[in-house]
Amino acid sequence: MNILGIESSCDETSSAILSDNKILSNLISSQDFHADYGGVVPELSSRAHMQIIKPLVDKSLKESNLKLGDIDLITATAGPGLIGALLVGLTYAKGLAFSLNKPFISVNHIEGHIYSGFLMEEKPEFPILTLVVSGGHTLLLYVKSFKEIQQLGTTVDDAAGEAFDKVSKMLSFGYPGGPKIQNASKIGDEDKIKFPVAELKNPYNFSFSGLKTSVLRYVQKNFSNVNDIPEKEKNNIAASFQKAVVNALMQNTERALNNYDVKSISLVGGVAANEKLRNEITLLSKRYDKKIIIPSLEFCGDNAAMIAFRGKSLFEAGRQDSLNAKPYPSLGENYFHSG
Ligand code: KG4
Ligand code: ZN
């Protein structure tokens, strides 16, 4: 069975082709031009998806040595994400399914990220404690099976990736902030400044807005403007901030480990590319004697392979979607499909 996956929820267009469980192609086209604006401009994102989607799918087919007629199932992200961006990939996928008369499955982006843990050779074992950390979401999930996903915690304000992006902008490092903060942190002193970790009523919830404000206050108090911050000091701020984010994520993950009996832990989403976070969660898993699954970098950020795999598992569980499937901007009621 050949499966086409399409992902266009934010600033990456991605097209993947699976042949059963083998990834034949997983192409990711990143919209780098958003860096000029300091963040993703939704309308520009939709337009760029429109321009690249067909050539990208064509390239995926070529790379896989397949023709459109060889595709048996078409899957695409329906949400959550930017509505205009989602509309492009979803409509293109539905159009293909209609013209080829092939089944279509719409995939929840977060479920796709959770599924990325299953793309590695070493598979997670249920129940899984999954930490989803991306530009739009920060979720701590108790995944008993794909039919039973319990949300333990979420962010009450900014997502972890969003905090990286905002602090990076504050320090004039640019967008996307995660990799830039990570690089600066490598040469900075993470113990130089003590930034706070929020304590919330729900012990599994996250808040990064106060941390972001603390960084801003620190900068305002100590420097007249961002251009006056010596490079060394910027690196110290970045490293201290990164440490605070990772501590917050690890604190709640450890709390969940103390209260939920899980067989494995998985770390997924764009921020899962962060080396410090990868190291700390691996250490935590060792302390608790749990299996740890972290996707390789290719599958941490947005990619269509995870969407195609999730779509395939839903199809195998008997689902098939109508071509009326609509995009949705937030998790809302679409919080998790069965299968
Ligand atoms: O999952 P993703 O590709 O898109 C969303 O679904 O949001 O995540 C993108 C986020 C961005 O905020 C980016 O700054 C962050 O992932 N990110 C990182 C790293 N690489 C990407 N954050 C921290 N450290 C990194 N190395
Ligand atoms: Zn994502």
Side-chain angles (χ1 to χ4, degrees), residues 50-81:
M50 269 173 53
Q51 284 185 339
I52 194 89
I53 188 102
K54 186 183 182 303
L56 202 68
V57 171
D58 288 348
K59 202 170 162 194
S60 266
L61 286 164
K62 204 167 169 199
E63 211 176 81
S64 312
N65 256 324
L66 293 175
K67 303 222 161 359
L68 257 183
D70 299 323
I71 299 294
D72 305 299
L73 171 68
I74 293 159
T75 68
T77 304

Side-chain angles (χ1 to χ4, degrees), residues 178-284:
K180 306 213 164 130
I181 297 264
Q182 171 171 303
N183 285 341
S185 300
K186 281 186 185 150
I187 34 175
D189 175 2
E190 63 175 21
D191 297 315
K192 191 73 204 279
I193 311 145
K194 279 245 156 341
F195 288 126
V197 169
E199 283 293 344
L200 300 157
K201 219 162 137 198
N202 173 344
Y204 305 121
N205 271 352
F206 304 95
S207 166
F208 296 107
S209 166
L211 170 60
K212 178 193 66 190
T213 309
S214 300
V215 176
L216 181 66
R217 294 269 176 279
Y218 181 86
V219 169
Q220 286 172 337
K221 201 175 140 209
N222 294 287
F223 309 97
S224 49
N225 77 58
V226 74
N227 299 324
D228 293 342
I229 313 177
E231 218 46 42
K232 192 168 169 227
E233 190 60 31
K234 270 194 191 181
N235 297 334
N236 293 340
I237 297 171
S240 303
F241 160 78
Q242 178 179 267
K243 184 178 181 183
V245 174
V246 172
N247 280 351
L249 294 170
M250 288 308 92
Q251 182 176 288
N252 294 11
T253 307
E254 180 159 9
R255 278 178 187 152
L257 283 173
N258 286 327
N259 292 304
Y260 289 84
D261 192 18
V262 295
K263 283 223 167 70
S264 40
I265 305 170
S266 69
L267 172 70
V268 299
V271 183
N274 186 272
E275 279 171 33
K276 183 175 170 68
L277 182 57
R278 293 170 84 92
N279 291 340
E280 294 289 331
I281 203 165
T282 303
L283 289 175
L284 185 66

Side-chain angles (χ1 to χ4, degrees), residues 9-12 109 113 133-137 160-162 164-165 175-179 182 242 269-275 300-302:
S9 65
C10 191
D11 57 345
E12 261 101 26
H109 183 78
H113 274 303
V133 272
S134 72
H137 297 90
E162 191 179 355
F164 270 99
D165 295 334
Y175 178 87
Q182 171 171 303
Q242 178 179 267
V271 183
N274 186 272
E275 279 171 33
C300 285
D302 292 344

Side-chain angles (χ1 to χ4, degrees), residues 9-68:
S9 65
C10 191
D11 57 345
E12 261 101 26
T13 322
S14 181
S15 163
I17 295 176
L18 314 179
S19 169
D20 296 325
N21 284 330
K22 189 163 183 267
I23 300 172
L24 301 181
S25 169
N26 184 36
L27 299 174
I28 302 163
S29 166
S30 294
Q31 303 172 354
D32 299 331
F33 59 82
H34 293 295
D36 297 344
Y37 304 91
V40 178
V41 184
E43 181 56 26
L44 297 182
S45 165
S46 313
R47 290 176 196 212
H49 284 304
M50 269 173 53
Q51 284 185 339
I52 194 89
I53 188 102
K54 186 183 182 303
L56 202 68
V57 171
D58 288 348
K59 202 170 162 194
S60 266
L61 286 164
K62 204 167 169 199
E63 211 176 81
S64 312
N65 256 324
L66 293 175
K67 303 222 161 359
L68 257 183

